Amino acid sequence: MNHLNDPKVRIIEADISPEAYNNAHIPNAVFWNILSDLLLPDYRINFDTTAWEKLLARSGVSKDTTVITYGDYGDLPATGAWLFWLFKVFGHGNVRVLNGGRRKWLMEGLPLTSEAPVISPTSYQVSALDANLRIFHQQVQESIGKTDCVLVDVRTPQEYNGEWFMNEPPKATERAGHIPSAVSVFYGLALNDDGTFKSMEDLQALYGDKNITPEHQVITYCAIGGRSGHTWFVLKYLLGYPHVQNYDGSWNEWSRLANLPIEK
C-alpha cells in the first residue's frame, strides 16, 4: 500500500488472459501475458535474454527497481512465485512476491483501478543467467534413485498417477505418469484458503513428512515449470533449503523424450 506510487517499485500482474486485469488491478501494476510474454509456442519458458530485456524495458523496470509479482488466485496461484524464480534466473536482485495475490487483495478491500498505468520505458541489460537455479533433463535422469536427492512432483495427483496429461486425459502417444522415484506433493498444499502461504511449522511438516528435508538436493517439476517454480520459492526462500533447483522443462519435455523412463 505504501509503495503504490513509488517510482522505484514496479508491480507486475501475470495471467493467461488480460480480462481480469482490464476489469480491475492494483494501481500502477503492469500486465504480462503468460502465453505471449513468457512462453514459447511449445509452452517452454522463453529464456532469450533479448526478449526478457525488451519485456522489462517496456515495463519500466531498471536494475535498481524493486519488483512485486502477483497473479490471479483462481487457477494460477503459483504465478507470483514463478515470476520471482524467473527474475532470479535472469539476475534481478530486488524481487518480492505479493502474499495471497489478487484474491487476498480483493478480500481486504484494497484499492483497484481499471486504468492502465503510464510507463516510462527503461534500458535493461541482463548481466548473466543464474544457471544454478535450473536443472536439465540429463541431470534429472542422473539423480533418479540417489539417496541424497529428492524429486518433487508438484502437479495434481491425477497428473502424477497418469490419469491426466497436463489438464486432461492423455491422447494418442502422449506419455502420462511421473519421473521414477519422484514424490507427489501438490504445490497448492503450501497455501491457505485465502491464497497466502501456510505457516513455517505447517510447511516444515508438509515437506518433512515426505522426507523432503534441507540436507537433500531437491528438484521440483510440474508440467511447464510454473507450479514447480512456486514450490522452489517455498522451499528455498520460506524454508531456507540450501540446494533447490527447478526442472523447468518438466513434464512437457520429459514425456516427449522417448528414451526417458516414466512410472504410473
Side-chain angles (χ1 to χ4, degrees):
M1 277 292 294
N2 295 332
H3 297 281
L4 288 180
N5 299 304
D6 189 335
K8 296 182 179 180
V9 173
R10 176 63 61 225
I11 305 168
I12 296 173
E13 175 177 331
D15 206 332
I16 59 175
S17 167
E19 182 178 357
Y21 174 87
N22 290 338
N23 288 333
H25 55 266
I26 297 175
N28 287 320
V30 299
F31 178 76
W32 285 5
N33 188 305
I34 292 174
L35 296 179
S36 59
D37 290 327
L38 301 173
L39 299 181
L40 298 170
D42 63 358
Y43 297 108
R44 293 174 183 265
I45 298 171
N46 187 356
F47 287 105
D48 178 69
T49 55
T50 300
W52 182 256
E53 289 169 346
K54 289 180 179 178
L55 178 60
L56 267 61
R58 72 170 169 81
S59 301
V61 177
S62 302
K63 281 285 190 176
D64 60 351
T65 300
T66 295
V67 176
I68 299 173
T69 62
Y70 79 99
D72 192 359
Y73 181 66
D75 294 329
L76 299 166
T79 302
W82 173 49
L83 286 180
F84 180 100
W85 173 79
L86 267 177
F87 270 99
K88 290 298 183 182
V89 170
F90 281 100
H92 192 83
N94 301 319
V95 194
R96 304 288 186 271
V97 176
L98 181 63
N99 194 13
R102 172 187 284 273
R103 184 179 190 190
K104 184 66 172 176
W105 191 271
L106 292 173
M107 289 175 64
E108 295 187 356
L110 297 174
L112 293 166
T113 183
S114 60
E115 296 182 5
V118 177
I119 301 298
S120 298
T122 62
S123 177
Y124 195 101
Q125 186 170 4
V126 174
S127 300
L129 272 66
D130 189 345
N132 293 322
L133 306 185
R134 304 176 62 197
I135 193 167
F136 301 94
H137 70 83
Q138 299 95 333
Q139 299 164 289
V140 174
Q141 186 174 17
E142 292 169 0
S143 73
I144 294 174
K146 287 188 175 180
T147 57
D148 61 345
C149 180
V150 57
L151 281 161
V152 186
D153 187 319
V154 313
R155 300 173 300 163
T156 62
Q158 292 90 340
E159 290 171 284
Y160 178 83
N161 293 329
E163 300 168 42
W164 291 356
F165 180 87
M166 306 297 190
N167 293 317
E168 58 186 12
K171 300 174 183 176
T173 59
E174 290 177 341
R175 300 199 305 159
H178 59 266
I179 299 174
S181 81
V183 296
S184 175
V185 184
F186 178 54
Y187 83 101
L189 295 176
L191 299 172
N192 295 307
D193 290 341
D194 63 359
T196 58
F197 294 103
K198 289 184 176 178
S199 69
M200 179 80 71
E201 294 75 16
D202 287 344
L203 292 174
Q204 287 172 334
L206 172 65
Y207 297 105
D209 286 347
K210 295 282 191 171
N211 198 34
I212 304 166
T213 52
E215 65 270 17
H216 288 101
Q217 176 195 6
V218 182
I219 300 170
T220 61
Y221 77 93
C222 58
I224 62 172
R227 290 173 290 180
S228 52
H230 182 277
T231 299
W232 173 92
F233 173 81
V234 171
L235 293 172
K236 188 167 183 66
Y237 278 85
L238 299 187
L239 293 181
Y241 283 28
H243 307 294
V244 190
Q245 292 172 296
N246 182 20
Y247 170 36
D248 53 80
S250 284
W251 201 251
N252 183 43
E253 175 183 66
W254 188 275
S255 66
R256 303 181 197 281
L257 297 175
N259 63 313
L260 297 180
I262 65 169
E263 288 183 350
K264 291 184 180 181

